[in-house]
């Protein structure tokens, strides 16, 4: 049964991501909104549904260690593996707004999480409310940018707009999100059951198996987007998901119940900040992630995974 969940979960993830990217990119063109804005909002929130489900469920069940480690582990995986693999497949050009605004926001979110956790030793309810308030501000910035981009964009070709009907865009986006959520849940359940048979701790499961499982939607969606030349959407999905995981997912979870922030969480969040700074430094010179940088990111994540199993 565990392997059944894994196999069918992968099927749902792959097909859901395929439909989701098609619908989202078509919606972006129809609305004359840059693909990176769609990636930072709709796609990012859609692919983060598994993280939301797992972390909130873990918080309600009192498994705080799994809730926090899932979000942090997913973010490290998104940054190093998802973006790294996309860069290996095809050089990722970085939008100037992503470089000047979105990556720094992701860095500030991780820094704020580390500050609150290290200061209080837990994420209190008011910390969760603060994170949610910051998420509302982030959404406002994205909507404002979308309207500015739409007003300043040139006219779109009529035949390009009619490439995908509105109703089909909606069906693809909603259907893709549902398939991604179901697939992610099936993969996480199957992988977690298998991991527990080997006696792994909640923190290790959250940082590895569950983080990988809940990040599969980002991985599949970004790779599919990169292969379809929707490079802005591929990167926007990664950055947006990381911001969403900290501000919204952990915001909701800690608002439900205070969550203990252990010394392992401090270490892992520090690693996340270091990885974000590294990606930012990689992107600054030529505003792109190239193949050798993607390989380096994948190697760094491999080394970090070895450390997780050894500690």
């Amino acid at each position: 049964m565990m392997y059944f969940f894994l196999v069918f979960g992968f099927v749902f993830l792959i097909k859901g991501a395929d439909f989701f990217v098609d619908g989202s990119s078509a919606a972006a063109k129809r609305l004359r909104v840059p693909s990176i804005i769609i990636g930072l909002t709709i796609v990012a929130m859609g692919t983060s549904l598994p993280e939301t489900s797992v972390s909130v469920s873990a918080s309600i069940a009192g498994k705080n260690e799994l809730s926090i480690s899932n979000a942090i582990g997913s973010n490290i995986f998104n940054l190093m593996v998802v973006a790294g693999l996309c860069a290996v497949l095809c050089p990722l050009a970085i939008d100037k707004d992503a470089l000047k605004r979105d990556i720094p926001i992701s860095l500030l979110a991780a820094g704020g999480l580390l500050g609150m956790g290290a200061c209080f030793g837990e994420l209190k309810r008011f910390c969760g409310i603060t994170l949610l308030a910051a998420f509302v501000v982030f959404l406002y910035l994205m909507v404002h940018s979308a309207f500015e981009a739409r007003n300043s964009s040139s006219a779109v070709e009529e035949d390009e707009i009619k490439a995908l009907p509105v109703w089909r865009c909606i069906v693809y986006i909603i259907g893709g999100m549902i398939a991604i959520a179901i697939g992610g849940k099936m993969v996480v359940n199957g992988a977690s059951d298998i991991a527990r048979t080997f006696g792994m701790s909640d923190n290790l499961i959250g940082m590895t198996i569950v983080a990988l499982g809940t990040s599969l939607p980002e991985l599949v969606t970004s790779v599919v987007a990169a292969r379809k030349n929707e490079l802005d959407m591929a990167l926007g999905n990664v950055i947006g998901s990381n911001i969403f995981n900290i501000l919204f997912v952990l915001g909701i979870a800690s608002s439900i119940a205070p969550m203990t922030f252990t010394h392992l969480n401090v270490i892992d969040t520090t690693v996340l900040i270091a990885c974000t700074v590294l990606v930012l430094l990689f992107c600054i010179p030529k505003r792109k992630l190239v193949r050798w940088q993607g390989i380096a990111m994948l190697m760094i994540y491999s080394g970090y995974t070895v450390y997780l199993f050894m500690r």
Side-chain angles (χ1 to χ4, degrees):
M1 182 61 70
M2 294 181 291
Y3 298 100
F4 169 85
F5 278 122
L6 279 176
V7 173
F8 279 87
F10 278 120
V11 172
F12 274 100
L13 281 172
I14 293 171
K15 294 307 296 180
D18 201 20
F19 282 117
F20 196 47
V21 170
D22 285 344
S24 298
S25 58
K29 292 172 183 176
R30 177 174 288 277
L31 295 172
R32 300 174 186 173
V33 174
S35 293
I36 191 167
I37 298 295
I38 298 294
L40 282 162
T41 53
I42 298 174
V43 178
M45 286 186 277
T47 55
S48 289
L49 286 176
E51 284 93 338
T52 306
S53 175
V54 170
S55 290
V56 171
S57 298
S59 178
I60 294 173
K63 297 182 178 180
N64 297 339
E65 193 173 10
L66 179 60
S67 181
I68 296 177
S69 61
N70 170 44
I72 299 173
S74 294
N75 280 15
I76 296 174
F77 184 89
N78 287 345
L79 208 57
M80 293 288 101
V81 178
V82 177
L85 185 57
C86 287
V88 170
L89 294 175
C90 182
L92 280 178
I94 311 298
D95 183 89
K96 64 178 182 180
D97 287 335
L99 194 60
K100 295 180 179 179
R101 179 194 63 203
D102 304 323
I103 296 180
I105 288 177
S106 177
L107 187 59
L108 285 173
L113 176 66
L114 178 61
M116 288 186 289
C119 181
F120 302 112
E122 65 177 358
L123 294 181
K124 299 179 180 292
R125 282 194 172 90
F126 83 86
C127 294
I129 295 172
T130 301
L131 292 174
L132 289 174
F135 179 70
V136 172
V137 174
F138 171 71
L139 276 185
Y140 169 79
L141 290 175
M142 292 302 99
V143 172
H144 181 69
S145 295
F147 276 111
E148 281 191 341
R150 183 177 181 181
N151 292 334
S152 62
S153 64
S154 58
V156 180
E157 296 292 334
E158 190 68 21
D159 58 345
E160 183 182 27
I161 291 180
K162 292 183 177 179
L164 202 62
V166 175
W167 68 268
R168 189 172 295 179
C169 288
I170 296 173
V171 169
Y172 277 18
I173 291 173
I174 296 177
M177 287 175 66
I178 293 173
I180 286 169
I182 293 173
K185 189 68 173 178
M186 292 175 72
V187 169
V188 168
N189 287 342
S192 296
D193 288 343
I194 293 172
R196 284 195 173 91
T197 62
F198 293 95
M200 296 172 64
S201 68
D202 278 349
N203 180 268
L204 183 57
I205 292 173
M207 288 298 299
T208 56
I209 304 298
V210 178
L212 187 151
T214 56
S215 290
L216 282 176
E218 285 91 343
L219 176 61
V220 176
T221 301
S222 289
V223 170
V224 170
R227 291 180 65 87
K228 293 185 176 184
N229 208 35
E230 294 286 350
L231 302 181
D232 280 349
M233 185 177 294
L235 183 65
N237 174 38
V238 170
I239 300 171
S241 292
N242 280 15
I243 295 172
F244 186 86
N245 287 344
I246 292 178
L247 299 184
F248 183 80
V249 175
L250 288 184
I252 287 288
S254 56
S255 295
I256 294 172
M259 300 188 295
T260 302
F261 204 85
T262 67
H263 73 283
L264 293 179
N265 296 142
V266 172
I267 294 173
D268 296 329
T269 308
T270 302
V271 171
L272 172 61
I273 292 173
C275 290
T276 306
V277 171
L278 176 66
V279 171
L280 185 60
L281 293 175
F282 274 168
C283 295
I284 287 175
K286 297 183 178 179
R287 274 178 46 188
K288 67 169 61 175
L289 284 175
V290 296
R291 185 169 285 108
W292 75 264
Q293 293 170 333
I295 293 173
M297 291 159 67
L298 292 174
M299 291 178 64
I300 290 171
Y301 184 80
S302 298
Y304 181 64
T305 302
V306 172
Y307 158 74
L308 288 176
F309 278 95
M310 292 180 61
R311 73 183 183 185

